[in-house]
């Protein structure tokens, strides 16, 4: 069956007829309801669609809330049969008329934004990545000016370097001539300093840049510094806000910055679209049938998702206030990385799938059960435009991946099974893990992160970006990737395994909240992961059947029946077998008595929530999330309450007891 | 002693009326099937079964003759309108209709019987309309309201006759879908359907469809609330879907859609079992500590509860508590006294006033 090319205007004509409107006045995102339609007219509308376009729509599909764009998409889907096979993205990216107009945060940006407001347990004042790299054979007299110039030209080329975020949680790009729009590097000249002074200064710079990252709410999302050292040596320090840019962008930024520093005359190919244009397209995507189909796909599976790996904890996540994440890292030498890639190809799996499976095996042995929910960071961007892959912005999304390891299978079979699962889930990536997690948390009735154990792999990304990393950058000298220091701070994460390529080597790292875990357990688990990877590179790891715990899921939270961590021999295992685990629910808060809002303050809060959530708020004990709220709206609720009542409440305090009564108590505490 | 006549006395509603009026005075129980009427009377000594057909004017007059209060539980109300009311008044009896809405009241006002000078005719003496318009007044007793939210619904079987009623009671005289009452006027398209929401007093997640009924608009005007939102609550979306499909079909006969509505109600029943909830929540203009803001009333059987209300109305008439004239029950029953009576009724499984 085919649909006419004029489908949207045909449908607009039907609406116009039913609603007595001018067809030209119907915007694609306007809902049938807002235009005056009701459920009766909606049924008549499906009838007209059937008669005029010969497309059958299920009654349940056509709700009064449907937009013209969503209906167009739905009709197109239905007309084309089962929708199997590769799907075309149902939106186009277009340049926004005003490039400095504000646009919404992407779902993952919202998570980071809320984290910066201390909204989550495991939050930080800034979510950012920090790295510094050794330089040698610098032209120290030229280096500072070269770097400033390169950064200036990069900020003209990449609008995200001029981006800011508003307190309400929107973002916009400053025009290049706005004061402070162009970030500049800071230079620390230690060419004449003694060794001790250098060591102290370097430690101070690292401490500062690691713990207080660039904050796009107050300035640029990137902080670049250069330390000049004796003998033509130096260090290039870069900190990037995760709200402003993702890991892929970090690679693009480093490469373009160094390319511009190498060549005064280099002119990057202009970008036809920017991050804001992409976000606007994604917003339209949310109104399409394709997006809704993906959402339904996830929602159908959520109730069967396993819990996160029940790793033993030393402390309740809500009680720790981490400053920095701990790191463990290792490298796989170039020849073994090449061998690993070859063996992956022979087994018909991607290196990322192999690493995900290896991480899952280590987690299963550590947690004592085989089925678990992992979070993954996805740097892939929707292919809306050929320039998207070289644009800097916070494109990244997360994706939840359930893992269910077969205790009797060889590792190669585990990888193949995991790759199938991963591919199947990734085929529904129009809806991000942030949105899916929100729904999962709502269904589980928790304000805890539902998947605080994270897997991130950029293996293969370098090839996708195209060019190789330069090893020299003009007056900045030569880059020594063997001398690289890095730090990550990302909210809602207890433990994150990261895999990336660096100068023909593969790097693997754990970033974790050190306060939560027994360091000897972390050491053991990381060593086991490194051993597994080595065995895969060397070949003997593929056919092994690794001992896995009997239990598929963790035992009950009271500790009985929970397996000891298998990975750790008893002698080396000092921790309690029956203590707190990842995924346990927090201590119960004092229950709020249900009932209508009790006083003027509670009534005022209920009215404010109704306004934000567009839903009735009738009970003082109903939680903000059960009512349809999300974390960004929570930040807004707190901000608006502060504006209306002059009383400030911390976001985390609100989220501890996210009810009308709880928020009212928090307000009263604040004024007491 | 007051003699009560109950028409439709062997039906779901009528049986409850007979039961609740037993002992209050002599009873005459009318039904189309004399055998079933006799069966109802068997358990109430002194009750007198009478064959009565609403279509038979002479029979109707004979039934009403000698009654002090006639309670009509027979339907469908779109067909009954003011027919029984006129027969009762002509016989010098007060009249109670367990259903019958503004449309029936208007029909009676068109050429009003002279006996309305000393007799009363009370319509909408059921659950909805009826309690839905009466009980919110409990919340307004202590002072004016800024806002009132009404949610009424649940899961109940819908028989073919009730389905016809549901399908026909549509149009501007009955109410406006998606409308709200704001600042003294009906505001169309002010609200949206609430899908999968948790509401106090309802089981699990339910679907609430805004419908500003004539009763709700009248209530809003009578109480002078700034805003009133009235919703019909369904436990699944089957019924709104079935009704929408029927209403979309302008040409076809209503009867063709009855099976779908009946089946939709059965699907609801299968989902949660039978229950019905009335939820009223108020925002008072002035905040006075301790003043109730929410009233929840639950029953397993919405039809039977209508019978309780009709019986309470009949007793109020017998007690002289209702002035002569044509009324809606919500306007003349005492809200607090009715609530107190309902609290003690076995068909009311819960009342929460908080």
């Amino acid at each position: 069956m085919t649909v006419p090319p004029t489908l949207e205007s045909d449908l607009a004509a039907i609406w116009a007829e039913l609603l007595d409107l001018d067809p030209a006045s119907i915007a694609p995102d306007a809902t049938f309801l807002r235009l005056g339609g009701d459920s009766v007219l909606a049924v008549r509308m499906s009838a007209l669609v059937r008669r005029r376009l010969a497309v059958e729509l299920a009654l349940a599909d056509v709700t009064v809330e449907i937009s013209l764009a969503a209906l167009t998409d739905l009709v197109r889907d239905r007309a084309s049969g089962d929708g199997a096979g590769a799907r075309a993205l149902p939106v186009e990216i277009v340049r926004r008329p005003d490039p400095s107009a504000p646009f919404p945060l992407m779902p993952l940006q919202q998570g980071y934004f809320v984290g910066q407001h201390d909204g989550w347990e495991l939050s930080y004042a800034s979510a950012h990545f920090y790295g510094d790299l050794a330089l040698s054979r610098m032209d120290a007299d030229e280096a500072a000016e070269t770097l400033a110039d390169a950064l200036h030209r990069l900020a003209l080329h990449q609008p995200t370097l001029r981006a800011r975020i508003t307190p309400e949680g929107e973002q916009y790009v400053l025009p290049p001539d706005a004061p402070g729009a162009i970030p500049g590097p800071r230079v620390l000249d230690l060419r004449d300093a003694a060794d001790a002074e250098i060591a102290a200064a370097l430690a101070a710079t690292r401490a500062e840049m690691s713990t207080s990252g660039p904050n796009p709410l107050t300035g640029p999302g990137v902080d670049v510094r250069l330390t000049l050292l004796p003998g033509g040596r130096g260090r290039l320090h870069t900190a990037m806000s995760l709200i402003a840019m993702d890991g892929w962008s970090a690679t693009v930024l480093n490469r373009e910055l160094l390319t511009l520093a190498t060549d005064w005359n280099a002119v990057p190919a202009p970008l036809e679209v920017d991050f804001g244009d992409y976000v606007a397209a994604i917003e339209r995507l949310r109104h399409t049938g394709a997006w809704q189909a993906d959402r339904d796909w996830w929602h159908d599976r959520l109730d069967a998702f396993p819990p996160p790996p029940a790793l033993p904890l030393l402390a309740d996540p809500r009680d720790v206030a981490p400053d920095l994440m701990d790191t463990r890292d290792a490298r796989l030498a170039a020849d073994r990385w090449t061998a690993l890639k070859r063996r992956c190809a022979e087994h018909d799996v991607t290196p990322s799938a192999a690493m995900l499976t290896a991480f899952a095996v280590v987690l299963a042995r550590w947690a004592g059960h085989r089925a678990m929910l992992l979070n993954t960071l996805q740097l892939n961007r929707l292919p809306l435009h050929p320039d998207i892959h070289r644009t800097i912005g916070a494109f990244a999304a997360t994706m939840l991946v359930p893992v269910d390891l077969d205790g009797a299978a060889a590792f190669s079979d585990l990888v193949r099974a995991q790759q199938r699962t991963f591919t199947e889930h990734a085929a529904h990536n129009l809806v991000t893990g942030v949105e899916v997690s929100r729904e999962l948390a709502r269904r589980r009735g928790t304000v805890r992160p539902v998947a605080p154990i994270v897997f991130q792999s950029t293996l293969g990304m370098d090839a996708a970006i195209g060019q190789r990393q330069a090893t020299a950058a003009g007056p900045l000298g030569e880059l020594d990737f063997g001398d690289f220091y890095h730090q990550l701070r990302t909210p809602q994460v207890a433990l994150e395994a990261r895999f990336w390529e660096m100068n023909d080597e593969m790097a693997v790292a754990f970033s974790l909240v050190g306060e939560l875990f027994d360091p000897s357990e972390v050491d053991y688990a990381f060593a086991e992961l490194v051993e597994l990877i080595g065995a895969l590179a060397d070949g003997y790891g593929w056919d092994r059947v690794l001992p896995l715990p009997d239990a598929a899921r963790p035992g009950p939270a009271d500790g009985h029946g929970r397996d000891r961590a298998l990975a750790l021999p008893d002698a080396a295992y000092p921790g309690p077998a029956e203590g707190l685990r990842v995924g346990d629910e927090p201590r119960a808060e004092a229950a709020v008595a249900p009932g209508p809002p009790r006083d003027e303050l509670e009534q005022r809060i209920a009215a404010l929530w109704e306004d934000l959530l567009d839903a009735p708020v009738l009970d003082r004990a109903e939680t903000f999330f059960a009512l349809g709220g999300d974390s960004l709206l929570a930040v807004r609720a707190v901000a608006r309450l502060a504006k209306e009542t002059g009383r400030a409440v911390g976001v985390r305090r609100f989220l501890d007891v996210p009810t009308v009564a709880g928020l009212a108590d928090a307000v009263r505490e604040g004024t007491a | 002693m007051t003699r009560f006549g109950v028409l439709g006395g062997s039906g779901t509603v009528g049986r409850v009326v007979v039961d609740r009026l037993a002992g209050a005075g002599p009873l005459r129980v009318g039904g189309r099937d004399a055998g079933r009427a006799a069966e109802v009377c068997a358990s109430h000594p002194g009750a007198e079964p009478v064959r009565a057909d609403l279509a038979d004017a002479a029979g109707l007059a004979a039934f009403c003759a000698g009654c002090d209060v006639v309670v009509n539980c027979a339907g469908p109300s779109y067909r009954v309108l003011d027919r029984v009311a006129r027969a009762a008044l002509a016989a010098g009896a007060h009249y109670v209709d367990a259903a019958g809405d503004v449309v029936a009241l208007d029909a009676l006002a068109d050429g009003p019987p002279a006996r309305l000078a000393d007799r009363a005719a009370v319509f909408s003496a059921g659950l909805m309309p009826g309690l839905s318009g009466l009980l919110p007044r409990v919340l307004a007793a202590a002072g004016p309201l800024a806002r009132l939210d009404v949610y009424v619904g649940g899961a109940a079987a819908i028989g073919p006759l009730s389905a016809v009623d549901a399908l026909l009671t549509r149009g501007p005289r009955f109410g406006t879908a998606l409308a709200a009452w704001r600042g003294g006027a009906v505001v169309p398209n002010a609200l949206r359907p609430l899908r999968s929401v948790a509401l106090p007093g309802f089981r699990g997640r339910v679907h609430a469809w805004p419908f500003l009924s004539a009763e709700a608009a009248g209530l809003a005007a009578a109480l002078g609330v700034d805003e009133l939102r009235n919703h019909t609550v369904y436990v699944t979306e089957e019924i709104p879907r079935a009704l929408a499909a029927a209403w979309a079909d302008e040409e076809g006969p209503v009867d063709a859609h009855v099976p779908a509505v009946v089946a939709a109600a059965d699907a609801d029943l299968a989902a949660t079992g039978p229950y019905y909830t009335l939820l009223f929540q108020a925002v008072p203009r002035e905040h006075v500590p301790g003043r109730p803001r929410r009233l929840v009333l639950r029953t397993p059987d919405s039809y039977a509860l209508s019978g309780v209300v009709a019986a309470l109305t009949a007793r109020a008439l017998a007690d002289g508590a209702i002035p002569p004239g044509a009324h809606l029950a919500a306007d003349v029953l005492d809200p607090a006294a009715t609530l107190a009576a309902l609290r003690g009724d076995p068909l009311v499984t819960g009342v929460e006033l908080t």
Side-chain angles (χ1 to χ4, degrees), chain B residues 66-82:
Chain B
C67 287
D68 299 298
V69 179
V70 171
V71 183
N72 178 47
C73 307
S77 56
Y78 72 91
R79 204 177 286 159
V80 174
L81 286 177
D82 58 343

Side-chain angles (χ1 to χ4, degrees), chain B residues 86-102:
Chain B
R86 287 183 185 277
L89 291 166
H94 295 296
Y95 176 71
V96 176
D97 198 318
D101 35 41
V102 180

Side-chain angles (χ1 to χ4, degrees), chain B residues 54-292:
Chain B
L54 303 196
D56 167 16
L60 204 51
F63 180 87
C64 294
C67 287
D68 299 298
V69 179
V70 171
V71 183
N72 178 47
C73 307
S77 56
Y78 72 91
R79 204 177 286 159
V80 174
L81 286 177
D82 58 343
R83 171 194 296 264
V84 188
R86 287 183 185 277
L89 291 166
H94 295 296
Y95 176 71
V96 176
D97 198 318
D101 35 41
V102 180
V103 177
L105 191 67
D106 289 349
L108 187 64
D110 185 9
R115 285 312 292 264
L116 281 176
D118 61 353
R119 293 289 182 275
V122 184
F123 294 89
S124 298
L127 187 153
M128 181 173 67
L131 289 184
S132 48
L134 174 71
L135 294 180
R137 296 167 203 246
V138 172
L139 299 175
L145 304 181
R147 179 169 146 191
L148 179 64
D149 289 19
V150 178
Y151 295 87
V152 178
I158 299 183
L161 271 185
S162 307
V164 173
D165 247 356
L167 287 166
L168 286 180
T169 48
R170 177 167 177 267
R173 295 171 78 196
F174 296 96
T176 313
L178 307 180
W181 178 275
R182 275 181 196 152
V186 176
V187 180
N189 280 314
L191 303 173
R192 65 180 180 93
L194 301 168
R195 294 198 163 86
S196 286
V197 290
L199 294 172
F202 290 86
R203 294 181 193 164
R205 298 217 158 239
V206 292
H207 312 278
W209 290 74
F211 179 77
L212 189 69
S213 62
E215 179 187 50
L219 174 70
L223 297 182
V225 299
D226 303 331
E227 174 165 359
L228 187 145
R229 306 177 181 196
N230 191 59
H231 303 79
T232 311
V233 180
Y234 303 99
V235 298
T236 76
E237 293 193 68
E238 299 280 336
I239 293 178
R241 245 181 241 146
L243 291 175
W247 290 332
D249 176 18
E250 281 182 327
E251 286 93 54
V254 162
D255 290 350
H257 299 285
V258 166
V261 174
V262 171
D266 287 346
D268 278 9
L269 269 181
T272 60
Y275 87 96
Y276 224 73
T277 299
L278 297 95
L279 161 66
F280 310 100
Q281 187 153 328
V283 179
R285 282 227 186 98
E286 277 174 40
H287 294 269
V288 180
R291 187 176 154 185

Side-chain angles (χ1 to χ4, degrees), chain A residues 151-185:
Chain A
L151 193 55
H152 185 115
R153 285 189 286 153
L154 187 61
L156 296 179
H157 173 57
Q158 296 276 6
T160 293
L161 268 63
R162 294 178 265 124
R164 297 289 187 276
I165 290 175
T166 69
E168 279 271 298
E170 282 198 311
Q171 54 193 328
Y172 62 98
V173 170
L174 289 169
D177 54 358
I182 306 288

Side-chain angles (χ1 to χ4, degrees), chain A residues 1 47 100 190 283 316 319 321 328 362 369 382 429 451 517 607 660:
Chain A
M1 207 183 297
S100 62
L190 298 176
E283 284 296 306
D316 190 320
D319 296 335
R328 305 282 190 283
V362 169
H369 61 101
L382 296 179
N429 68 346
F517 300 102
V660 169

Side-chain angles (χ1 to χ4, degrees), chain A residues 11 93 95 102 129 163 194 221 243 279 284 290 312 462 466 575 584 592 606 620:
Chain A
L11 292 170
I93 190 167
R95 271 227 92 109
F129 178 81
I243 303 189
V279 174
R284 290 195 297 278
D462 281 17
D584 286 348
V592 171
R620 59 197 298 274

